[in-house]
Amino acid sequence: MAKNSRNLPKKQVFCPNCKHKTDIEILDTGQFNLYLCNSCKNGFLYPIPKNLSKYYPKIYWQYPGQLSYIRSTLHNLLQIRRKNWVKKYIKSGKILDVGAGEGVFGKTLGPNFAVTNLESPFAKVANKNVVKADFLKWKTDKKFDGIVFLESLEHVPSPQDYLKKARSLLNKNGYILVECPRFDSWESKLFKDKWLHLDIPRHLAHLTREGLGILASRNNLKVINQSGVLIYEFSPYCFTVSLMRLLKIKPLNLKERSISNLTSMTMALILLPLGVVAETIFHLFDQDPVELSVFQKSIVL
Ligand SMILES: [Zn+2]
């Protein structure tokens, strides 16, 4: 789809979800632009980078370098949080993790679950148990009780196609859980192009609450819940980095030992508590930068 739209005039591009023409350019980064589709109400990146793997660090899921222990601890806390989300809806059964990385999340679910981990064919994962396949082309006889997209749906060009495929792999009354940045959140509106969660050009889909609900409904999925999630081990950090970008403070580099880096570190330590307060306020107003959406393959539909 993106290939065809490359030949069109710059301001008239097709939404990868709806194949619907849109001209609302909301952000121009020079190389990649953000557009908003007025049909499905989601943002999307255009053009899509030709060689996406080029934009991923060598080891995307691991935490080498200084403070790696702290970072891996925070990452593990996040996995426990995710486990609790899933167990609220699904007590046992088969789970598919799309965009599983090294399959860390699946291990937290325990013996009542059989987890299939799927990752892009281009991903540099070491875990041999992770199936490396293009989800949209992946053929399997398995059916799942739950399919999770944990910070992965924003990395694909057309979430609508992914939800359609996911629904086809669900058992009756099975669930789809999507955790992703919320493009229409207050934090996104506050920081605009400085928002860390934009993560251009790795994030191709910029999903809104309404937009993701529309994509689910189009795929005959019942919207069970959409609400912001307060992730203390993660969100205040993202707020602080975004704020430092906005204030034009040099990004913190843990490997560098210089006066300017010391200034950045001091500023980060001063701003981090502000991040904690801001995230708490966002959560009180259900405006968290990260959203959890739960959809169900309902027999009624
Ligand atoms: Zn659209």
Side-chain angles (χ1 to χ4, degrees), residues 15 17-18 37 39-40:
C15 166
N17 290 309
C18 313
C37 174
S39 174
C40 75

Side-chain angles (χ1 to χ4, degrees), residues 14-22 36-44 160 214-215 218:
F14 286 96
C15 166
N17 290 309
C18 313
K19 329 298 183 227
H20 191 280
K21 211 183 261 185
T22 183
L36 193 68
C37 174
N38 38 26
S39 174
C40 75
K41 313 288 182 199
N42 291 297
F44 62 93
Q160 177 159 296
I214 288 172
L215 299 185
R218 282 183 188 172

Side-chain angles (χ1 to χ4, degrees), residues 110-153:
N112 292 334
F113 293 87
V115 182
T116 301
N117 294 302
L118 195 107
E119 196 36 89
S120 150
F122 309 106
K124 294 147 185 135
V125 280
N127 185 349
K128 296 277 179 280
N129 294 322
V130 174
V131 179
K132 288 177 85 173
D134 180 335
F135 180 58
L136 296 181
K137 293 177 188 159
W138 185 51
K139 289 189 170 57
T140 179
D141 297 329
K142 282 186 193 167
K143 292 274 179 181
F144 300 92
D145 303 295
I147 299 179
V148 299
F149 295 89
L150 304 171
E151 302 275 338
S152 64
L153 202 59

